[in-house]
Every structure is written in structure tokens, then in C-alpha cells.
């Protein structure tokens, strides 16, 4: 019988463990603080920020909501980030994507103090990740590792196919999975839009991670029996319901479920883990910046 991996339950376990870490910091007079910076007027981004702030408050992390007019000059964002970098009471900074077209993405990633870059996207932190000495693991790849561990999936020696090569998921996940460490030691193939015969690769995989941003790209015919399937995609499609749409993944769930030994749903799979690992990185940052020893889960 196929196991449907409950990302909400695993994320709740992570948050419970982090609550003890926050209490350790509180005993030392430290309150972890995450500052989220929003410079767009997209409702989805505002919703994501609100969810992250609520998550923080539930476990005792202070959440600071910084809003910048999307029409403001780029310098206003960089000055805001510089001020947050300089504050000792701010331990994590997250600039919510996307930023306006007149704000260069690469400059935004480089502007955040690497020690406060809880997304793990600063070039220095990317380099440390690739070198096998990550300061912060990017939230979604780290969450995927936690989901696999929760299912008892040992990636050592396994064939893992990652479908998607983004800087947010595909590339960092592939780097984590090949490293000589727990949750790694896998043989990893990264597929993408230029890959010939995607199904040839996915059928030989023990684990398939779909993170291409293409609605239901992977279906059951592209999997072998017993494959573990992690679906990172979140795609909105028309539906005959009150909202007029529903969310589906990069995997065609019903047919894939017939082949998979374990599979994540959309929603309720990877998404909650991404948010939980943001809390993890914020607590880690607070401990490292203040010198308080916290036992992270």
C-alpha cells in the first residue's frame, strides 16, 4: 500500500523540537527574530509572509514585517536590508520574492548578511553548501531530506532523479544528496527542459523529486514500482469549485500513487516543510550569532 507522506505532521514535529531550542535561547536572554521584507503587491506573496510570521509566533520567534512600496527606488530596499544587517536583535532576514523588475535579483541575494541569510541563497552560503560545509541548508531541499528521513528512506547508494535545475530547489538538493553525509551518498541525475526522454531517467530512479514547475509533468507511466516520489510543484489549475481553481503538483498524483511506495501530496507535502525549515534556520542563526548552544533536531 502506498504511503502518502504527511508534510504537515512532519513539520509539526520539527516545530515541536524547535520550541525546546527557543526555550534554551530564552533562558539565555535571547529571542530569535526573523525580519521578512516584502517589496511587491502580489497577494500570494503577502499570504506567504503572513504564514511565515504566524509560524514564528507559534513557537516563540519574534516576527518583524517590513513592507516597502514596490515603486520605491531599489536603494530603499538595500538601505532597509543594511539596517537589518546591523541590528543585533535581528538574527534572520528573508526578502520575499519576487522583487520589482528594477531591483536586480543578484544584488538582493548578496545584500543580506550571510550569517543572517536564512534562505541560504547568498553566494557565500551557496559556496559553503557545495563545499559540504553548509551554514544554512536552503529550506525546501532541507525539508525534502527531512521528509525522506521520516519515511525511513536511506538515500545512500540510491538512484535519485531530480527534475528541475533551479537555484532554489534542484541545484542545492542535488548537492545535498551527493554529499558524504547522512541524508546524502546518493547517485543523482538532474533532469531539465533540455533532457531527452525524461521517462527513461525517472523509470530507473529509486527516488524522484519533481521540481520543474510544470503541471503534472511526471505520471505513473514514468515510474517503476516502489519509487519514492517527492512533488515540489504548486500549480494552479481551473476547477469547478468555490475558488474556481485547485492546486496540483508537478506529478499526476493518482497514476503516480499506483506505482509509488511513498508520495507527497499537493498541498500538504513539501510546502509545510519549507516553512518549518525556515524556522530551523532562524533558530540556528540566533544560536550562532549569540553563542548560545542549542541542540537542533
Amino acid at each position: 500500500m502506498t504511503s502518502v507522506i504527511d508534510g504537515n505532521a512532519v513539520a509539526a514535529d520539527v516545530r515541536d523540537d524547535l520550541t525546546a531550542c527557543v526555550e534554551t535561547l530564552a533562558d539565555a536572554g535571547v529571542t530569535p527574530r526573523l525580519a521578512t521584507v516584502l517589496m511587491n503587491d502580489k497577494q500570494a506573496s503577502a499570504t506567504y509572509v503572513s504564514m511565515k510570521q504566524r509560524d514564528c509566533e507559534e513557537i516563540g520567534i519574534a516576527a518583524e514585517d517590513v513592507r516597502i512600496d514596490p515603486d520605491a527606488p531599489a536603494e530603499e530596499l538595500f538601505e532597509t536590508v543594511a539596517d537589518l544587517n546591523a541590528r543585533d536583535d535581528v538574527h534572520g532576514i528573508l526578502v520575499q520574492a519576487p522583487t520589482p523588475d528594477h531591483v536586480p535579483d543578484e544584488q538582493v541575494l548578496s545584500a543580506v548578511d550571510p550569517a543572517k541569510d536564512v534562505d541560504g541563497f547568498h553566494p557565500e552560503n551557496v559556496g559553503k553548501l557545495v563545499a559540504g560545509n553548509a551554514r544554512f541548508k536552503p529550506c525546501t531541499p532541507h525539508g525534502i531530506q527531512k521528509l525522506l528521513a521520516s519515511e525511513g528512506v536511506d538515500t545512500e547508494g540510491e538512484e535519485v532523479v531530480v527534475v528541475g535545475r533551479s537555484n532554489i530547489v534542484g541545484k542545492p538538493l542535488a548537492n545535498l544528496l551527493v554529499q558524504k553525509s547522512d541524508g546524502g551518498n546518493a547517485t543523482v541525475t538532474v533532469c531539465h527542459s533540455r533532457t531527452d526522454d525524461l521517462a527513461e531517467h525517472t523509470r530507473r530512479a529509486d527516488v524522484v523529486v519533481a521540481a520543474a514547475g510544470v503541471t503534472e509533468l511526471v505520471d505513473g507511466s514514468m515510474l517503476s514500482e516502489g519509487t519514492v516520489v517527492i512533488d515540489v510543484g504548486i500549480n494552479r489549475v481551473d476547477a469547478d469549485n468555490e475558488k474556481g481553481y485547485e492546486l496540483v503538483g508537478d506529478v499526476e498524483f493518482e497514476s503516480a500513487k499506483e506505482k509509488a511506495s511513498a508520495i507527497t501530496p499537493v498541498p500538504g507535502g513539501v510546502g509545510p516543510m519549507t516553512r518549518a525549515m525556515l524556522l530551523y534556520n532562524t533558530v540556528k542563526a540566533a544560536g550562532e550569532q549569540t553563542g548560545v548552544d542549542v541542540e537542533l533536531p
Side-chain angles (χ1 to χ4, degrees):
M1 182 176 179
T2 303
S3 171
V4 178
I5 305 172
D6 188 345
N8 286 308
V10 180
D13 289 341
V14 172
R15 290 196 300 270
D16 286 345
D17 290 338
L18 288 173
T19 299
C21 299
V22 172
E23 290 172 354
T24 298
L25 287 163
D27 290 342
V30 176
T31 300
R33 179 178 293 272
L34 172 67
T36 54
V37 181
L38 179 63
M39 193 182 183
N40 72 55
D41 54 7
K42 298 180 183 299
Q43 183 56 48
S45 294
T47 299
Y48 293 151
V49 167
S50 296
M51 293 168 69
K52 291 167 184 175
Q53 297 224 332
R54 185 176 67 247
D55 290 342
C56 286
E57 292 164 359
E58 286 178 355
I59 70 166
I61 295 175
E64 186 164 335
D65 184 8
V66 181
R67 304 287 175 112
I68 300 174
D69 188 327
D71 295 324
E75 289 72 20
E76 184 169 338
L77 172 62
F78 296 124
E79 289 171 2
T80 298
V81 171
D83 289 343
L84 294 171
N85 285 340
R87 284 175 49 186
D88 290 339
D89 66 325
V90 173
H91 306 104
I93 302 170
L94 183 150
V95 180
Q96 179 65 47
T99 51
D101 291 341
H102 65 280
V103 181
D105 290 338
E106 289 301 318
Q107 290 186 33
V108 173
L109 297 178
S110 299
V112 177
D113 182 341
K116 299 185 179 186
D117 167 40
V118 288
D119 260 340
F121 296 149
H122 188 285
E124 178 180 313
N125 288 335
V126 173
K128 292 176 75 68
L129 170 68
V130 174
N133 184 32
R135 176 186 278 125
F136 302 115
K137 294 181 180 181
C139 301
T140 300
H142 195 186
I144 291 168
Q145 284 189 305
K146 290 282 189 182
L147 286 173
L148 291 172
S150 75
E151 281 294 303
V153 177
D154 184 355
T155 55
E156 181 168 347
E158 297 289 270
E159 290 268 358
V160 180
V161 170
V162 178
V163 185
R165 54 180 168 178
S166 73
N167 293 330
I168 297 172
V169 182
K171 290 179 184 177
L173 178 61
N175 272 289
L176 287 172
L177 290 171
V178 299
Q179 288 176 8
K180 192 175 182 180
S181 63
D182 291 342
N185 293 311
T187 300
V188 182
T189 301
V190 178
C191 297
H192 44 75
S193 60
R194 301 296 179 89
T195 298
D196 287 334
D197 197 353
L198 176 60
E200 178 184 354
H201 297 278
T202 55
R203 286 193 194 105
R204 74 163 189 268
D206 301 298
V207 178
V208 171
V209 180
V214 178
T215 301
E216 297 181 337
L217 173 65
V218 177
D219 63 29
S221 71
M222 300 167 67
L223 304 171
S224 296
E225 291 287 346
T227 304
V228 176
V229 180
I230 304 294
D231 190 352
V232 183
I234 302 178
N235 308 290
R236 182 180 291 193
V237 298
D238 293 339
D240 185 17
N241 58 27
E242 185 176 339
K243 293 181 178 179
Y245 69 88
E246 63 181 359
L247 298 178
V248 300
D250 287 1
V251 176
E252 201 291 302
F253 183 82
E254 292 302 328
S255 64
K257 185 180 175 184
E258 295 299 313
K259 291 284 193 69
S261 61
I263 187 171
T264 57
V266 176
V270 174
M273 293 303 300
T274 298
R275 288 160 42 206
M277 303 326 292
L278 175 64
L279 304 179
Y280 182 104
N281 284 349
T282 301
V283 171
K284 182 179 182 182
E288 291 183 349
Q289 290 167 39
T290 60
V292 178
D293 185 21
V294 292
E295 294 186 10
L296 290 161

